[in-house]
């Protein structure tokens, strides 16, 4: 299998801070397996709870992604399928923090208030890969809570359309900082291809994250991610979609949060219609009773909601011609 | 047990259309068990898929609730605990519908657009209590999908504070049309007491509902609900809260949807702090990694999100002095 | 003229704290002139800059309105026209304040943040009726700024539909706490009639207010307002509208703020269409180039925007059969 | 004066479709006068009411700007002052249109609805420079309305920070598609400098526009704009600001619309504080009573509100060391 495996470490020259506007650092063929190292959202600069991000991070170089990676044959109008085989923490710990003017329960530059910022504080989490736990340790009392290790990729995307370049902290229709726990091992992410080669990049691994990521920062750590990419020719995707073995998701990315819900549901109504042949109102009705809508983030430049439905409720066709099953099958060799 | 059971049927004189402004129809003691019949949100007027709600419903008398019920000893500043023992459909079918100017994927009187309304359409669902399924039948094709029967109460609340009376279709801090699937059997709902006797009422049973209830209408049916109420003296509750055997939820009720998220999380941060003794930032941090945030509705006059956390991640105190456990214990006799 | 003048002072028995749920204190005939005294939003309890509202006000009895007043012949489905002849401060001073958890630049119970509340602070304004100025005096420095005296009514409305009762601090389609500077002398306000007699009430006079009322509190003072009411039979009004000698406004009342804009514009597009006979798209286009949209408030339970257009750009019919001109004519006698 | 005048026509090689990611086409010295031709937002492709933009425009090349222009000496952390001397239509007509999925009163890709798009329709406006009018002509009836010619620049901005490139249809803190009528002759716009040379560009002239630009498209026409630029060294500007002879504005750019209001007001509170020495609460209070908040757009990727205050209410210092007065003085020579 080795000649099929492209290994990318997270050295500085492989890190980028925008989607778009950056030349590719590597090239892969559709079907090829990638092993990608990523740095944490702090660029690795937070080493202890005394390292306040606002002091130690190298602004504006936040949230580095590894890439971009040129995918051969991907052209505008195609869909890029990114199957995630595994996500493995590269450290035995992660960090989270409150950050001035960032988070759902604080004034921000947009939701601007005259109150002083919340205190900036850092938390260190022990990551235990054997017990699959992440340990929260309170800073102002002696509480300790073990949470499940559930690794996910916070930021993954392609170059935007029409010559745009977006900071890696921004989620939008090209992907980016989606911050949804459903970008996890075993799932396939579908992204629109906007430029030749798609220019995939990823970073911002989370050892785990709550729905909405309310303080704005997850359990951030460096990761090794194994992926398989494929190209679905001449099939356009309007907004990021995710397929698991049992579910379909359309990720709505917008502000206010109801617009993230609306755009996710709207895309999913269309997807259900394509797969089943039902008309829009019947699909809308089915989704109203069977849909899930896990919130990704309520803190980033755009909010995200993954409008979802179980595949067993969507009788009929196979999404994207079965690429998820094929890649998942192939991925099992690399776990 | 019989002298302890108050039975309320859903005859017309027992239905109300506002929370507040209506005299009580019955009185219960704390700890007493109630068996309450409710009508569906259409007032029972939709009898087939040809009965368009905009024609057959008796406006403005939509969404009837059974009640209100005076709870002895409940006074402003107390908390009313409502433990739901069981919710049982009274019919072998339910209805859903698209309704003009209502729903997440349509223009509405608030999100006003110049496009014509979506088509009004009714769906009939077969409810099979033996298989615990609800059958979706498409109207414009021959698709049929069986979904789990998961009964919940859409509308439950008390009289608002300060002399207000609110339509039963409105959710707010007094409860009302919360439309969250977590108001279900086995769970305890906590509501603020704003007037003497609290004046509890409920209706709008759903055989099931998707997160967000995107078309605005769930699988609506008449229900028989068994409840036990209790009063927690001199403990105020600011926004509806829900406790299950394993989880705590603070229900945020607001527009835009991010404010429902913010207010739910804010209340839950406070609740975590009370139970654990952690400070606000430590609680906020824990919630950021461990929190869930299932969306209730994105269609009503206010949107709802149930900010939640597993109890096992909240080490320390017992919510509301253990009332949930006591009522759940007692409820087992009545299942 | 005297027998045509109904005088209502602001004694306690004439003050109400909800729209709806309160019996009328007086009756008027259409065309009758009313002279109504109102208290300020603090119920007159703030007497100096040392009187913090959170301490001196009698909760929940905030924002008293004088009324309600039964208008003879007004029935559901009619429109109530309220022409404002004059608004005159009853004191030589007013007060404003920051209030905990209230305002656009602070966390609130909905836009909930974990930061401590802003400081509560009171400002006293001297009102000089001869120079028509209102004097701002800074509290932490020696700055003094004279602003124009531009009296307006913050809160005016009728009983809501369907048995609702709403706090006087809430704006909605029945009027209420609209907080738009366009409710001022010389203008006519149109409100839906939801109950027999309409049940008009008003209060919360502002010596002046900025657009959006960002801190949440205007220059609050007791007022004497002279009004003439009329009933337009069998013409329904969906949302508050305002007519001046030169402009038409539809007041959008909603959250988020774009929905206030949308619903105001949507109603005005319809109004332009009725008056001109243009179709909806032509009216929409004209409004896009000629419309104004002064913000009322961005602080209350619902936000308000008065979508407006100059009458000279609306060729054709006469709004509400010319009632504004007739009442304005008649009002000149009472100035 | 001629050697001081840089003339840029609107030939194709001078048009750009992003802010950022484009090399400069010209260089100016601070204080130099520029005469810049711009194309309309359709790229000049709409020639009659039968030219539907969705068919004739060359996607994604919408909303061309002329530039970018390198301003000598401008460095990150400085402020670019752009004084607008004059804006003159280059044609005797302009066009507006409804565009599928764009506008305040229609479903959009974000505020996604299942209703079919509104009809796409084009309107031609006659521009009469002698009478200073713009003539609206209805398409489905024979109504004609003359509106004042009030030229403004819809899109003006600099390269964003941190390597971003944004479509010219997007407004944000770098300026861009602000769509506020206050970017007009006689006013000075202040923008943050994010890259060496600032890289100013402009386009999207409007013969006039209503507040909010509700259908999404103003009276679009090609313009000749005369500008003078200057650099204020080592003074940072966080969000676009505008100064007229009598007013100061901070332009809030965000979604939802209340966040545009909040961020504009927040910046203006700070600005008032800097100029007067008042503390934040006193400034907030003054703005609450004296502020204006004209809405720019409620249709673009971000909404805009220009939070404003009359200079006569801001006693004390001179904004940006009087650059507006100096440039306005100098601009009078070029009118």
């Amino acid at each position: 299998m080795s000649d099929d495996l492209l290994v990318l470490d997270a050295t500085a020259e492989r890190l980028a801070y925008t989607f778009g506007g950056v030349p590719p650092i590597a090239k892969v063929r559709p079907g090829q397996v990638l092993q990608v190292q990523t740095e944490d959202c702090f660029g690795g600069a937070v080493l202890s709870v005394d390292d306040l991000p606002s002091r130690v991070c190298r602004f504006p170089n936040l949230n580095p992604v590894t890439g971009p990676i040129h995918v051969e044959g991907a052209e505008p109008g195609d869909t890029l399928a990114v199957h995630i085989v595994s996500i493995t923490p590269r450290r035995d710990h992660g960090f989270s923090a409150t950050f001035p003017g960032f988070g759902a329960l604080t004034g921000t530059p947009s939701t601007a208030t005259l109150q002083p910022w919340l205190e900036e504080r850092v938390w260190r989490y022990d990551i235990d890969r054997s017990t699959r736990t992440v340990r929260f340790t309170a800073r102002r009392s002696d509480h300790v809570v073990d949470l499940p290790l559930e690794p996910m990729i916070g930021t993954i995307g392609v170059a935007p359309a029409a010559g745009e370049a977006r900071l890696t902290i921004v989620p939008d229709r090209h992907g980016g900082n989606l911050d949804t726990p459903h970008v996890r091992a075993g799932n396939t992410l579908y992204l629109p291809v906007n430029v030749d080669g798609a220019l995939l990049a990823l970073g911002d691994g989370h050892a785990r994250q709550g729905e909405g990521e309310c303080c704005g920062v997850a359990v951030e750590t460096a990761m090794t991610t194994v992926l398989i990419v494929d190209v679905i020719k001449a099939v356009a995707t309007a907004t990021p979609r995710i397929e698991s073995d049992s579910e379909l998701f359309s990720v709505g990315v917008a502000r206010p949060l109801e617009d993230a819900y609306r755009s996710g549901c709207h895309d999913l109504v269309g997807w259900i219609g394509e797969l089943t042949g039902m008309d829009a109102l019947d699909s809308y009705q089915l989704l109203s009773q069977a849909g899930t809508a896990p919130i990704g983030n309520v803190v980033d430049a755009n909010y995200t909601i993954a409008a979802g439905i179980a595949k067993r409720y969507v009788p009929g066709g196979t999404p994207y011609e079965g690429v998820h099953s094929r890649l998942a099958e192939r991925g099992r060799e690399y776990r």
Side-chain angles (χ1 to χ4, degrees), chain A:
Chain A
M1 302 185 300
S2 63
D3 56 327
D4 224 25
L5 184 71
L6 178 71
V7 178
L8 296 174
D9 61 20
T11 47
E13 62 271 24
R14 282 183 161 145
L15 300 183
Y17 299 92
T18 55
F19 288 95
V22 183
I25 59 157
K27 218 168 209 189
V28 294
R29 296 182 317 277
Q32 198 172 354
V33 180
L34 290 87
Q35 181 187 301
V36 181
Q37 286 186 357
T38 54
E39 227 341 315
D40 69 23
C41 72
F42 307 111
V46 174
L47 300 174
S48 83
V49 295
D50 299 320
D51 288 336
L52 298 186
S54 69
R55 289 198 209 138
V56 301
C57 290
R58 290 168 292 273
F59 293 87
N61 287 352
L62 289 180
N63 208 38
V65 289
T66 303
I69 302 157
H70 179 107
V71 182
E72 287 180 28
E75 294 169 301
D78 297 342
T79 289
L80 185 71
V82 183
H83 181 71
I84 302 165
V85 176
S86 63
I87 307 173
T88 310
R90 294 165 51 210
R91 296 183 184 132
D92 66 355
H93 62 274
F95 288 102
S96 187
T98 46
F99 191 85
F102 191 63
L105 299 188
T106 177
T108 69
S110 295
T111 307
T113 72
L114 292 170
Q115 298 148 292
W117 298 131
L118 285 179
E119 178 195 332
E120 186 174 1
R121 193 186 287 180
V122 173
W123 289 261
R124 187 185 194 281
Y125 286 79
D126 293 318
I127 298 174
D128 187 328
R129 288 175 52 186
S130 61
T131 59
R132 305 288 299 167
T133 54
V134 167
R135 175 161 293 183
F136 163 78
T137 306
R139 291 292 311 280
R140 296 286 180 271
S141 61
D142 57 1
H143 287 86
V144 167
V145 180
D146 283 338
L147 304 170
L149 173 63
E150 297 181 323
M152 52 167 280
I153 302 170
T155 303
I156 182 166
V158 294
E164 277 208 308
R166 306 300 304 278
L167 288 179
T168 52
I169 57 172
V170 175
D172 214 326
R173 291 176 180 257
H174 67 283
N177 195 15
L178 296 172
D179 279 336
T180 170
H182 293 275
V183 179
R184 62 184 172 210
N187 290 5
T188 302
L189 173 68
Y190 301 104
L191 293 168
V193 178
N194 300 304
V195 302
D196 283 349
L199 300 185
L200 175 72
L202 59 146
D204 186 29
H206 299 168
R208 72 167 287 110
Q209 178 202 309
E211 288 181 348
E213 200 186 8
C214 60
C215 85
V217 184
V219 181
E220 310 285 343
T221 195
M223 296 284 187
T224 297
T225 298
V226 176
L227 308 161
I228 316 178
V229 296
D230 207 346
V231 177
I232 300 143
K233 294 299 296 178
V235 173
T237 290
T239 199
R241 291 174 170 179
I242 299 168
E243 183 175 356
S244 76
D245 288 349
S246 59
E247 286 175 292
L248 303 177
F249 294 100
S250 289
V251 185
V253 192
R255 282 192 176 200
L257 189 56
E258 55 263 42
D259 276 3
Y261 178 78
R262 285 172 177 137
S263 56
C265 287
H266 189 274
D267 188 75
L268 189 52
V269 164
W271 199 3
I272 293 169
E274 285 166 33
L275 294 171
T276 62
M278 291 199 295
D279 81 351
L281 251 68
D282 278 339
S283 299
Y284 183 35
Q285 173 58 217
L286 176 59
L287 186 63
S288 297
Q289 314 314 339
T292 59
I295 296 177
N297 89 80
V298 193
V299 295
D300 295 325
N302 289 303
Y303 305 141
T304 53
I305 289 179
I309 193 165
K311 287 167 157 181
R312 70 182 176 281
Y313 301 147
V314 185
T318 306
Y320 294 104
E321 298 164 15
V323 68
H324 168 75
S325 310
R326 286 196 307 275
L327 297 183
E329 174 77 34
R330 184 152 152 60
R332 274 176 213 115
E333 304 171 38
Y334 290 87
R335 279 215 203 131

